[in-house]
Amino acid sequence: MALSSSSAAPVIDEALYSRQLYVIDHASMLKVMETNVLLIGLGGLGVEIAKGVILSGVRSVTLFDKQPTTLEDLGSQFFLSEEDVGRSRAAASLGKLRELNNYVAVELHEGDLDEETLSRFQVVVATNLPLDEQVRINRFCHARGIRFISTELHGVIGSIFVDLGNKFEVREPIDEALDIYSIINIDRGEKTIITLSEETSLKLGNGSLIKFSGVQGMEEINLLAPVEIKRIDQLSFSIDVDSTNWSPYIKDGVATEFRPALIMDFLPLEEALVKPKLQDFGLPKFDKAQQVHLGLIALGQFHRENNRFPTPHNAEDVATFLRIVTDLNEARHIVEEIDTAFLSIYATLSTVQISPLAAAFGGIVGQEVIKASSGKFTPISQFLHLDYTNALPANYLSLDKSEFDTNGQNARYSAYIKTFGKTVMESIFKQKNFLVGAGAIGCELLKNFAMIGLGVKGGYVQVTDMDTIEKSNLNRQFLFRSDNVGGFKSKVAAAAAKVMNPEFNVVAHSTRVGPDTENYFNDAFMGDLDLVTNALDNIEARIYVDGRCVTFRKPLLESGTLGAKANLQVVVPDLTVSYASSSDPPEKTFPLCTIHFYPYKIEHNIAWARDFFEGTFKNAIDNVNGYIRNRNYLASLDSQSRKTKLDVVKGIYETVVSHRATSFRDCVIWARLRFQELFYDRLSQMLHDLPLDMVTDAGIPFWSPPKRAPTPVIFDADNDLHLDFIQAAAHIRAFNFGIKEVENRDAIRDLVRAVPVPEFNPRQKVFNGSADPNQVADVAAAAIDEDFSSKLPSPAELQGYTMFAADFEKDDDSNFHIDFITAISNVRAVAYGIETCDRHKTKGIAGKIIPALITTTSAIAGFVVMELIKVVQKKDIETLNNTFLNLSVPSFVFAEPEPAPKIVITPTWSITLWDNLSFVEPLTFQEFIERFDKERNIELTMITCESSLVYAFFQTKHLKTEISKAYKSIKPDFQGTFINMSILGRYKETGADVELPLVRYKVQC
């Protein structure tokens, strides 16, 4: 039963939900945590929805399903086992679903679905119910304001229907950060024209809404309600507001994108079936939505007349279904022309559920539940119909019926045999797959691999991940439980997947994949594989694995998520481009001068705060320990720049001599003096050297946007933000010195009031901004002439003295690291007139946390495995789908992969990126060169082996040496089976330089 409401406000466990909270804000999360959900149906599709909703943190989930467990259920319902056969699916799943999240009450309803039961819930989700039952339940829910979602899966075809009632408010329609633009000028007139800083390019179009703030002089514009813009160019726009009589613009200000709430009205199912709103994919290859809609209605009528669904591959049932389809279409004109073949597949697979599409639809529906609970993001309006019939074998309807008959064997995989046939499934059973990564996507893939039987008969799945499990992983990496924290992800995930399918042949590794582990994941390992699936979270590793797949000509399935967005790329030898052909953009960085001197965004301050943390609490301490342990430490700095060496020596001196801490009081004193230095003295010096009225050599005011002139901060012990800085800084300093006795906040306030602070006196010119306003040199820091090294105690005098460097750790709330970053960046924000940032957002930016949702992860992993099934069948490129999801909009884009382009080497020789030349017989360099000359009319000019130059036209040392022997004389520790050789040459007929394809040469010794 649903839980009764409680007056106690829920408390968010930020350690558990941290990644989710960067997509679903705290206010939305609180709404989610107050939601009671009824889930009807616990087959493969239902359990996927249950998993996502429970991990997302709703208040309660009540399960309803009286269907007894069958052996076929084991192929998609991962929380059932052979011991559960005969038990109700809901009851059998209850215990394992409860393990997913201790904050969510998971209950079982064994009575009827009467109106009294339905009225206890805020959201009702129905899976694979007969259409008449869906209509009955929805009619009641719509009238009572209960959010209703239904979904059904029929083999490779699925549908979702969403009814969130009338006047449903969507507070934030999309998972995208608001655009913010720095203003440098505003021209008054009947139409007001706004000019933006060159560092910000206008992305918004006509009709977008903007809100102004921080404008100095023209204060009237700050009071405007959100107003529509008319784009002029990428650096200016106008608004239809007469500002003729307004005050003149002086400086500063930002224009922030404004997204209004949406109000949506939903039809009840009974009406929506007649007047459907269908999700538009915008691509001809997904034009079957109307056919699916016709099939959905016909299937409801078939069940009404027969009290069952069609039997798989039963010709009589299919014929009956098609007669219903024809009669319906004649009466309602749903489609112009009935696709008989497509609807025959719809009927024949009407009772079948397969794990990959259950995962995909389960993830999508799970996100719709979160939308229904919170009003965060745009719901589906109202039908989503999707088919994956292109994953079926060619000539599907013409295949002999015996192809789909299990003959009482392989019952666990019977749904897949009914869907894809024995021949395809035998290939899947033999596959040898390498899964790189066992995090969120990795867990979902392992589950799907186990369900479909990937590698269970003569094949295998090898999985590797060097990371260990953290608490924050438990919210979206569903194979892990709290008692697994600290264990290797790959090993725990593999063991959990093995429980789901005892036949699953999975081998776990905890070794990183990279150039330094090629002796581990060696040529023999790669050569034995059939395909590779990536579940990685960084571009460098993705590019490396992609390169290995190109070298060894292995298909690669590459995927990733970012909040509500996800993507999938299919990489197939000879057919498509590789991942590296168009990889993800590099991580955004900021100019150093902006970070250190001219911040205008909170992100600049947080980047500066991280640099300060590393330099002060880690690097400086490492330098002290290095000095103590290595008597030649100072001499080792001679290779560094003079400024760097002076900074290191000065830092050691200040740490062990002038500011050495022996008590927590010393740490408070140090923190107070650093506050004064950072936020009063340094900023006062900057304004002394670069006054507010300063102009550049070009006659432009130096302090022009986006630059902001700082205001020195006067410390106030009663200012909570100031005290936050002192408290956090003092605690981390105490950790550095191994001081255990610390004080509480009130005691710190009393201590800091008593700290004497030297009066500030301007020094010689420190900041020089006149020659180049984009560059500032801290002259004082570079001109430290005092010989601090002569004042240092000798390393012998410090023997036994150990300091403790603070390695930045974002997920430990007791270490004050995030508290310090938040405080120092916000004090600086106040000084520069930048909007401050709460601790949660600061943690996300400073910790480079990737926003993540279990729902998105589940959905994209399901689509990955559907593409894997196509790759196993060696499908043509026209059937493959690169996939781009944004569950917040929602948007589903399926595009054909880009084909591998031909590269012309010579007029008679063209290649693609997949072409490499293999040589297995022993050759000297001379013989190798002559081979190209004779066969390709190419004169080789340079050869590198694994990035080492081994031959050039001006260097003939190794000409008569066998290639692998020559290479091992340069790299004696090389242990690979093949050497990768990059070659440059000259086409002799024209003299044109050519770059040849990769050459793989078999090691001979």
Side-chain angles (χ1 to χ4, degrees):
M1 294 292 184
L3 297 183
S4 59
S5 59
S6 169
S7 59
V11 177
I12 300 173
D13 185 337
E14 296 200 10
L16 178 64
Y17 296 117
S18 63
R19 278 38 173 190
Q20 178 173 303
L21 287 168
Y22 291 104
V23 191
I24 300 173
D25 57 82
H26 285 70
S28 299
M29 186 64 200
L30 288 172
K31 290 178 179 290
V32 170
M33 294 172 69
E34 293 172 347
T35 301
N36 299 306
V37 178
L38 172 64
L39 176 60
I40 304 168
L42 262 294
L45 179 55
V47 77
E48 288 283 0
I49 298 168
K51 176 197 69 183
V53 171
I54 292 168
L55 288 172
S56 295
V58 297
R59 187 161 187 264
S60 74
V61 174
T62 299
L63 313 175
F64 177 84
D65 189 339
K66 296 182 180 180
Q67 289 292 322
T69 300
T70 66
L71 286 173
E72 184 170 316
D73 286 326
L74 307 187
S76 60
Q77 221 285 26
F78 46 82
F79 281 157
L80 297 177
S81 65
E82 291 187 15
E83 290 74 19
D84 296 317
V85 171
R87 295 180 64 197
S88 87
R89 296 186 299 191
S93 306
L94 181 64
K96 290 181 180 177
L97 286 170
R98 280 176 171 168
E99 292 176 1
L100 291 175
N101 192 338
N102 292 332
Y103 292 105
V104 178
V106 183
E107 306 293 341
L108 186 66
H109 178 70
E110 298 181 293
D112 295 328
L113 292 179
D114 53 26
E115 294 183 354
E116 179 184 356
T117 299
L118 296 172
S119 65
R120 296 176 182 145
F121 302 93
Q122 289 79 52
V123 179
V124 172
V125 182
T127 68
N128 277 79
L129 277 185
L131 188 58
D132 290 347
E133 183 69 354
Q134 292 181 48
V135 169
R136 178 187 75 82
I137 294 172
N138 173 254
R139 186 184 297 123
F140 175 81
C141 290
H142 188 88
R144 295 295 182 92
I146 299 169
R147 317 307 186 195
F148 175 85
I149 302 167
S150 65
T151 181
E152 48 196 90
L153 191 58
H154 308 294
V156 291
I157 303 170
S159 298
I160 298 171
F161 170 74
V162 176
D163 172 16
L164 305 187
N166 296 321
K167 307 301 179 187
F168 181 80
E169 182 179 7
V170 181
R171 296 182 298 104
E172 293 186 48
I174 187 171
D175 180 23
E176 294 286 354
L178 296 174
D179 286 335
I180 302 175
Y181 304 98
S182 296
I183 298 170
I184 61 172
N185 189 54
I186 303 178
D187 291 323
R188 292 180 292 179
E190 292 184 2
K191 288 188 176 182
T192 304
I193 297 176
I194 293 89
T195 304
L196 307 176
S197 163
E198 290 185 0
E199 296 189 20
T200 57
S201 179
L202 183 64
K203 300 176 184 176
L204 302 177
N206 293 337
S208 298
L209 295 176
I210 283 288
K211 183 79 174 67
F212 296 93
S213 61
V215 174
Q216 295 190 34
M218 191 182 287
E219 305 287 347
E220 297 90 339
I221 202 168
N222 295 327
L223 303 177
L224 286 178
V227 59
E228 287 189 3
I229 71 168
K230 290 185 178 178
R231 183 186 176 95
I232 299 174
D233 55 38
Q234 65 179 10
L235 292 177
S236 61
F237 62 86
S238 66
I239 57 174
D240 285 333
V241 175
D242 188 346
S243 58
T244 305
N245 298 319
W246 283 5
S247 307
Y249 173 79
I250 296 177
K251 64 174 183 176
D252 292 346
V254 295
T256 303
E257 179 187 6
F258 178 83
R259 297 193 194 118
L262 298 178
I263 304 298
M264 299 179 66
D265 288 318
F266 293 81
L267 295 175
L269 178 58
E270 202 165 12
E271 295 180 34
L273 287 168
V274 179
K275 298 181 288 185
K277 299 177 185 177
L278 305 181
Q279 177 76 37
D280 180 18
F281 295 101
L283 293 169
K285 66 195 292 187
F286 290 98
D287 61 354
K288 301 293 187 184
Q290 293 283 0
Q291 300 286 340
V292 177
H293 198 75
L294 173 58
L296 183 149
I297 299 171
L299 194 63
Q301 185 168 326
F302 184 101
H303 189 278
R304 187 182 310 121
E305 294 175 1
N306 298 278
N307 198 32
R308 63 176 178 85
F309 292 113
T311 302
H313 301 283
N314 183 290
E316 184 178 339
D317 279 0
V318 170
T320 301
F321 176 79
L322 290 177
R323 285 196 296 272
I324 294 172
V325 165
T326 301
D327 293 344
L328 273 172
N329 201 52
E330 286 179 358
R332 300 193 188 184
H333 306 291
I334 297 172
V335 297
E336 291 185 10
E337 183 177 350
I338 296 172
D339 189 332
T340 303
F342 177 84
L343 289 170
S344 295
I345 294 171
Y346 189 93
T348 204
L349 297 178
S350 62
T351 61
V352 175
Q353 290 191 20
I354 59 174
S355 179
L357 281 187
F361 275 78
I364 296 167
V365 171
Q367 192 59 44
E368 294 303 303
V369 173
I370 303 308
K371 295 174 187 177
S373 305
S374 64
K376 179 89 169 185
F377 303 147
T378 306
I380 293 171
S381 180
Q382 287 189 256
F383 284 100
L384 169 66
H385 297 315
L386 178 64
D387 83 276
Y388 248 85
T389 49
N390 60 8
L392 296 175
N395 304 313
Y396 185 74
L397 295 175
S398 302
L399 295 175
D400 190 87
K401 186 178 179 181
S402 63
E403 179 71 15
F404 307 102
D405 189 353
T406 63
N407 297 320
Q409 299 178 348
N410 292 315
R412 175 185 287 275
Y413 310 109
S414 59
Y416 301 97
I417 293 173
K418 292 174 185 176
T419 304
F420 300 107
K422 293 177 184 176
T423 302
V424 171
M425 289 311 299
E426 286 169 2
S427 295
I428 288 174
F429 294 155
K430 295 175 182 177
Q431 287 295 300
K432 297 175 180 179
N433 179 48
F434 185 27
L435 172 59
V436 188
I441 294 179
C443 283
E444 293 291 331
L445 290 173
L446 278 173
K447 171 256 301 178
N448 280 296
F449 292 164
M451 293 294 97
I452 70 172
L454 187 69
V456 297
K457 296 180 181 179
Y460 56 70
V461 171
Q462 306 259 3
V463 57
T464 191
D465 196 316
M466 64 182 291
D467 287 344
T468 55
I469 299 165
E470 302 174 357
K471 182 178 179 180
S472 62
N473 301 146
L474 305 181
N475 168 241
R476 67 202 185 282
Q477 299 176 19
F478 88 107
L479 296 181
F480 307 145
R481 301 292 178 266
S482 57
D483 57 354
N484 299 136
V485 170
F488 281 108
K489 289 183 176 182
S490 57
K491 296 183 178 180
V492 174
K498 183 85 172 174
V499 171
M500 293 174 175
N501 181 358
E503 298 176 9
F504 189 38
N505 185 17
V506 58
V507 181
H509 308 266
S510 55
T511 303
R512 189 180 76 88
V513 175
D516 56 331
T517 60
E518 287 185 7
N519 291 340
Y520 188 87
F521 299 113
N522 56 26
D523 293 357
F525 177 90
M526 292 297 301
D528 194 47
L529 298 173
D530 294 310
L531 72 159
V532 178
T533 41
N534 264 356
L536 293 161
D537 61 1
N538 72 87
I539 295 173
E540 181 182 359
R542 285 171 169 158
I543 291 175
Y544 172 78
V545 174
D546 175 76
R548 294 285 277 174
C549 288
V550 170
T551 298
F552 289 91
R553 296 178 53 79
K554 302 299 180 183
L556 171 67
L557 295 168
E558 166 63 52
S559 60
T561 69
L562 182 66
K565 292 172 282 188
N567 69 282
L568 153 64
Q569 181 179 355
V570 184
V571 177
V572 179
D574 299 324
L575 291 186
T576 74
V577 297
S578 72
Y579 171 79
S581 302
S582 56
S583 61
D584 296 326
E587 183 180 354
K588 184 178 179 181
T589 58
F590 304 113
L592 290 178
C593 60
T594 300
I595 292 173
H596 290 285
F597 303 106
Y598 308 131
Y600 57 89
K601 293 181 178 179
I602 193 63
E603 289 84 356
H604 301 153
N605 282 352
I606 294 172
W608 170 80
R610 275 299 312 270
D611 285 349
F612 182 89
F613 182 101
E614 292 296 319
T616 304
F617 299 122
K618 184 180 189 305
N619 296 344
I621 308 307
D622 285 337
N623 288 334
V624 170
N625 289 331
Y627 174 73
I628 295 171
R629 295 166 187 167
N630 179 4
R631 64 181 182 178
N632 296 317
Y633 188 74
L634 295 185
S636 70
L637 299 174
D638 289 342
S639 60
Q640 304 292 326
S641 68
R642 178 173 177 273
K643 178 184 181 299
T644 299
K645 181 175 181 178
L646 289 171
D647 285 345
V648 170
V649 174
K650 182 172 181 279
I652 296 172
Y653 173 79
E654 290 180 343
T655 304
V656 301
V657 180
S658 62
H659 291 290
R660 184 170 176 172
T662 59
S663 68
F664 189 72
R665 178 177 177 275
D666 292 337
C667 299
V668 172
I669 293 171
W670 174 87
R672 174 65 183 91
L673 294 177
R674 291 315 297 263
F675 186 102
Q676 190 72 11
E677 174 196 346
L678 292 170
F679 303 121
Y680 188 85
D681 295 358
R682 186 175 294 183
L683 301 185
S684 296
Q685 182 72 44
M686 179 179 285
L687 294 177
H688 174 268
D689 295 345
L690 308 172
L692 296 177
D693 58 358
M694 177 179 170
V695 295
T696 67
D697 293 342
I700 302 171
F702 180 82
W703 293 108
S704 295
K707 290 191 184 74
R708 294 167 174 258
T711 300
V713 179
I714 298 174
F715 181 79
D716 180 0
D718 293 321
N719 183 310
D720 283 339
L721 181 55
H722 296 185
L723 197 62
D724 287 344
F725 173 91
I726 301 297
Q727 183 178 23
H731 274 84
I732 302 173
R733 184 74 168 177
F735 171 83
N736 288 156
F737 282 89
I739 296 170
K740 306 295 185 184
E741 299 295 327
V742 297
E743 301 288 351
N744 61 33
R745 190 174 178 88
D746 290 336
I748 292 172
R749 181 182 284 108
D750 292 338
L751 285 171
V752 78
R753 291 186 199 277
V755 176
V757 178
E759 182 179 349
F760 169 72
N761 291 303
R763 295 173 285 165
Q764 63 177 348
K765 197 171 184 67
V766 172
F767 298 97
N768 181 1
S770 59
D772 181 357
N774 295 314
Q775 300 273 338
V776 168
D778 188 344
V779 178
I784 303 170
D785 292 322
E786 189 172 354
D787 184 10
F788 286 101
S789 60
S790 65
K791 299 181 179 182
L792 291 177
S794 69
E797 295 176 74
L798 295 171
Q799 286 305 309
Y801 183 75
T802 301
M803 296 196 68
F804 304 92
D807 293 309
F808 180 75
E809 173 49 61
K810 64 186 180 298
D811 291 320
D812 181 356
D813 290 341
S814 67
N815 64 15
F816 285 91
H817 293 186
I818 293 299
D819 301 282
F820 176 79
I821 300 292
T822 304
I824 191 173
S825 59
N826 279 336
V827 174
R828 196 174 192 235
V830 171
Y832 277 91
I834 299 169
E835 186 176 353
T836 58
C837 179
D838 64 26
R839 187 183 189 279
H840 176 71
K841 182 177 178 181
T842 300
K843 178 180 176 179
I845 297 171
K848 298 182 179 180
I849 292 175
I850 300 173
L853 295 172
I854 179 62
T855 50
T856 314
T857 304
S858 176
I860 199 64
F863 287 126
V864 167
V865 179
M866 290 305 298
E867 295 306 309
L868 180 149
I869 293 170
K870 296 180 190 176
V871 170
V872 169
Q873 298 178 70
K874 296 180 170 54
K875 292 272 189 177
D876 293 337
I877 192 170
E878 292 81 7
T879 67
L880 304 177
N881 298 333
N882 282 352
T883 304
F884 307 90
L885 307 179
N886 187 340
L887 298 189
S888 71
V889 180
S891 171
F892 307 88
V893 178
F894 302 90
E896 186 177 301
E898 182 181 346
K902 287 286 184 181
I903 304 166
V904 176
I905 303 296
T906 70
T908 59
W909 187 21
S910 297
I911 64 169
T912 73
L913 67 94
W914 293 100
D915 290 309
N916 60 59
L917 306 177
S918 296
F919 292 83
V920 296
E921 73 274 25
L923 293 171
T924 65
F925 277 105
Q926 182 72 52
E927 293 167 335
F928 184 77
I929 292 167
E930 289 173 353
R931 180 81 64 90
F932 276 90
D933 190 310
K934 182 183 298 184
E935 296 180 4
R936 298 293 182 181
N937 201 22
I938 293 174
E939 177 187 355
L940 300 189
T941 56
M942 188 173 294
I943 303 173
T944 59
C945 295
E946 305 286 350
S947 301
S948 297
L949 180 65
V950 293
Y951 168 78
F953 67 91
F954 52 81
Q955 175 183 314
T956 59
K957 178 181 177 181
H958 298 294
L959 264 182
K960 297 186 182 299
T961 308
E962 188 269 321
I963 292 173
S964 57
K965 185 175 181 180
Y967 180 63
K968 284 198 170 185
S969 70
I970 301 170
K971 295 283 185 180
D973 57 343
F974 180 77
Q975 298 179 11
T977 306
F978 282 86
I979 299 172
N980 294 325
M981 303 169 64
S982 299
I983 303 174
L984 297 178
R986 184 178 63 84
Y987 184 49
K988 294 172 68 175
E989 192 166 309
T990 63
D993 290 335
V994 293
E995 183 174 354
L996 281 77
L998 181 73
V999 172
R1000 302 186 69 234
Y1001 178 82
K1002 185 173 177 60
V1003 174
Q1004 306 294 321
C1005 55

